[in-house]
């Protein structure tokens, strides 16, 4: 799930982007006229892109460049700046979580134990390489080692985001 990083007292906070649209006027601490505020709009589909819409005269910028034409598809770690909200950052990074394996229409094998993962069973999709691992107590393949079986993504339950605006 995509999210916005906003600066609040005490540091950066994450606001998950759910639904199909979000006005920047709805963000905490933003005092903007909703009719004039920039708008985030989500395209269709599970991994849909988010677009930023704003009037060209609004002063909204992406990575320091003006929002020409009033529309831009966002990319991971884009900086959004607008007069009413200040600097925000867009991120597409996901956190690992145990969830039922969706019906994908093909067999999925766990890269750690090499056994099939049944549709609907507890599984974890690696945020780094997006490969599914078993995630149950009986087959704790995701947490078996400190990193994913195929990439360097950390597997500890308390692993947070790999990128934050504090790194800038």
């Amino acid at each position: 799930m995509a999210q916005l990083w906003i600066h609040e007292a005490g540091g950066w906070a994450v606001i998950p982007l759910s639904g199909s649209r979000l006005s920047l006027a709805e963000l905490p601490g933003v005092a903007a006229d909703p009719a004039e505020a920039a708008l985030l709009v989500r395209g269709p589909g599970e991994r849909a892109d988010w677009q930023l819409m704003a009037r060209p005269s609004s002063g909204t910028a992406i990575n320091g460049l003006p929002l020409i034409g009033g529309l831009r598809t966002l990319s991971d770690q884009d900086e959004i700046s607008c007069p009413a909200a200040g600097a925000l950052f867009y991120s597409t990074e996901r956190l690992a979580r145990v969830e039922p394996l969706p019906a994908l229409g093909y067999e999925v094998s766990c890269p750690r134990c090499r056994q099939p993962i049944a549709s609907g069973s507890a599984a974890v999709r690696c945020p780094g390489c997006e490969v599914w691992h078993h995630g149950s107590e009986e087959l704790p393949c995701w947490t078996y080692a400190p990193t994913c079986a195929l990439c360097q993504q950390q597997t500890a339950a308390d692993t947070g985001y790999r990128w934050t605006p504090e790194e800038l």
Side-chain angles (χ1 to χ4, degrees):
M1 172 184 292
Q3 59 270 336
L4 281 180
W5 288 88
I6 65 168
H7 197 268
E8 293 183 333
W12 290 93
V14 175
I15 296 180
L17 294 175
S18 59
S20 61
R21 57 180 280 166
L22 173 71
S23 169
L24 296 188
E26 297 172 23
L27 295 175
V30 175
D33 177 0
E36 297 294 321
L39 181 66
L40 290 170
V41 179
R42 182 176 187 233
E46 176 194 345
R47 310 237 347 134
D49 293 327
W50 283 84
Q51 291 84 34
L52 178 69
M53 297 171 50
R55 294 181 183 194
S57 61
S58 70
T60 301
I62 303 289
N63 301 323
L65 300 173
L67 191 62
I68 298 173
L71 178 68
R72 166 88 185 268
T73 298
L74 296 172
S75 296
D76 190 39
Q77 301 178 16
D78 271 347
E79 178 185 16
I80 303 166
S81 71
C82 59
L88 313 166
F89 289 88
Y90 171 80
S91 174
T92 58
E93 184 178 353
R94 292 181 305 106
L95 294 177
R97 67 173 195 234
V98 177
E99 59 186 298
L101 178 72
L104 300 171
Y106 54 88
E107 185 175 276
V108 175
S109 293
C110 175
R112 179 104 45 215
C113 71
R114 310 229 191 275
Q115 296 180 48
I117 305 173
S119 230
S121 65
V124 177
R125 182 169 45 180
C126 175
C129 65
E130 298 194 0
V131 172
W132 289 95
H133 296 67
H134 287 108
S136 67
E137 288 184 23
E138 300 81 31
L139 290 169
C141 297
W142 175 250
T143 56
Y144 180 79
T147 60
C148 168
L150 299 178
C151 73
Q152 294 302 307
Q153 175 69 40
Q154 294 181 359
T155 61
D158 61 351
T159 299
Y161 292 101
R162 290 170 38 167
W163 177 86
T164 67
E166 293 169 348
E167 298 173 8
L168 301 175

